Amino acid sequence: MEFIIAESTEDMSRRAADRIASFVEADPSCVLGLATGTTPIGLYACLVDDCAQGKISFADVTTFNLDEYRGLDPEHDQSYRYFMKKHLFDHVDIDQARTHVPEGSNPDAEAVCAAYEQAIEEAGGIDLQLLGLGPNGHIGFNEPEDTFPKATHCVDLTESTIQANSRLFDRVEDVPRQAYTMGIGTIMAARSVLVVVEGSHKAEIVKKAFFGPVTPEVPASILQFHPDATVIVDPAAGALCK
Ligand code: F6R
């Protein structure tokens, strides 16, 4: 695992965007795993700029997002499909038919999850998976548990995640209680993994996840065993790891 403390939050975003851009440059038809959340917004803005300047093209890229709320339509402004369109897909030359987000509007969890795993397999697997880190160590919506969930599945969100996400909804009651998420096995099967983390509120969990014991109680800790994982944090998130 490579652990990098960037010079600033902007530097974290630029470095992460450069990693993604060099993947796409090396293999224009690569398969990217993408994340939502506050942290990747800056790096998506960098990729949008790179694309506008003709430095990078997503024309042949395929993408799979980590997760989606169960029960939200893709048009809902808090759905992860909406987020991806707003921050990336609508501003680059990607073929939207090649972008995949679990089908949140379909309540048939078994069908949605099996179809997602199958689609990833048919695409040849994920070349580079981008991840953020939840305040409780979650990746995707894989929350602290007794075991590492393997494949894409439906999860009950923890109270802390519901509270953390409620800032984006009008009322906490509006936050969906379930989500579809890639499993830890799905994430670990990606050929490369790139994690971005920002903010002093993540400093403690960064230390635990990447320098503490590997345990399903801190789901991201499994990434210490990934053969090609890079973690880029801003100075505040890396403050306890110097
Ligand atoms: C998003 C996701 C989540 C976030 C994590 C960090 O698709 O799967 O695991 O990456 O909750 O979110 P932010 O960046 O908002 O702190």
Side-chain angles (χ1 to χ4, degrees):
M1 193 189 75
E2 191 185 1
F3 185 82
I4 299 166
I5 303 180
E7 282 166 21
S8 62
T9 309
E10 294 70 36
D11 183 45
M12 175 201 78
S13 297
R14 186 65 262 172
R15 282 170 182 249
D18 286 349
R19 293 246 164 178
I20 296 172
S22 50
F23 250 83
V24 175
E25 203 179 8
D27 177 6
S29 56
C30 67
V31 179
L32 297 179
L34 299 177
T36 61
T38 310
T39 319
I41 291 177
L43 79 87
Y44 289 147
C46 292
L47 291 174
V48 168
D49 279 354
D50 290 351
C51 194
Q53 289 173 33
K55 291 185 191 161
I56 175 179
S57 169
F58 289 90
D60 295 321
V61 168
T62 298
T63 67
F64 287 91
N65 264 78
L66 278 167
D67 42 19
E68 178 61 282
Y69 288 118
R70 181 173 187 235
L72 290 194
D73 285 330
E75 294 76 30
H76 191 289
D77 66 1
Q78 290 308 325
S79 77
Y80 287 174
R81 164 65 72 182
Y82 186 97
F83 174 100
M84 289 311 301
K85 284 169 69 67
K86 179 173 168 193
H87 293 287
L88 187 68
F89 298 159
D90 284 354
H91 312 288
V92 295
D93 59 347
I94 201 160
D95 175 356
Q96 304 246 4
R98 285 183 199 267
T99 66
H100 304 83
V101 180
E103 199 189 353
S105 56
N106 184 347
D108 185 344
E110 216 170 297
V112 171
C113 297
Y116 209 61
E117 286 289 324
Q118 195 183 335
I120 293 172
E121 198 182 314
E122 280 168 7
I126 292 169
D127 292 307
L128 174 63
Q129 178 66 54
L130 175 66
L131 297 169
L133 178 68
N136 60 2
H138 74 216
I139 46 176
F141 270 127
N142 294 281
E143 303 283 18
E145 279 190 60
D146 298 338
T147 55
F148 289 111
K150 252 172 89 181
T152 301
H153 59 293
C154 180
V155 284
D156 295 329
L157 304 185
T158 61
E159 201 47 45
S160 75
T161 297
I162 292 168
Q163 290 300 332
N165 291 355
S166 64
R167 71 189 192 280
L168 304 167
F169 288 80
D170 291 338
R171 301 171 314 155
V172 69
E173 303 85 72
D174 296 338
V175 184
R177 266 39 190 175
Q178 289 187 311
Y180 297 130
T181 181
M182 285 184 192
I184 293 291
T186 326
I187 293 168
M188 287 296 280
R191 287 177 270 280
S192 296
V193 168
L194 174 62
V195 192
V196 283
V197 196
E198 68 182 22
S200 56
H201 62 300
K202 301 271 182 79
E204 199 76 56
I205 195 66
V206 163
K207 190 177 173 198
K208 265 196 193 166
F210 304 120
F211 299 96
V214 172
T215 161
E217 283 162 24
V218 183
S221 63
I222 191 80
L223 298 172
Q224 293 181 46
F225 291 158
H226 193 283
D228 185 17
T230 304
V231 181
I232 309 180
V233 303
D234 76 352
L240 302 178
C241 303
K242 283 175 192 152

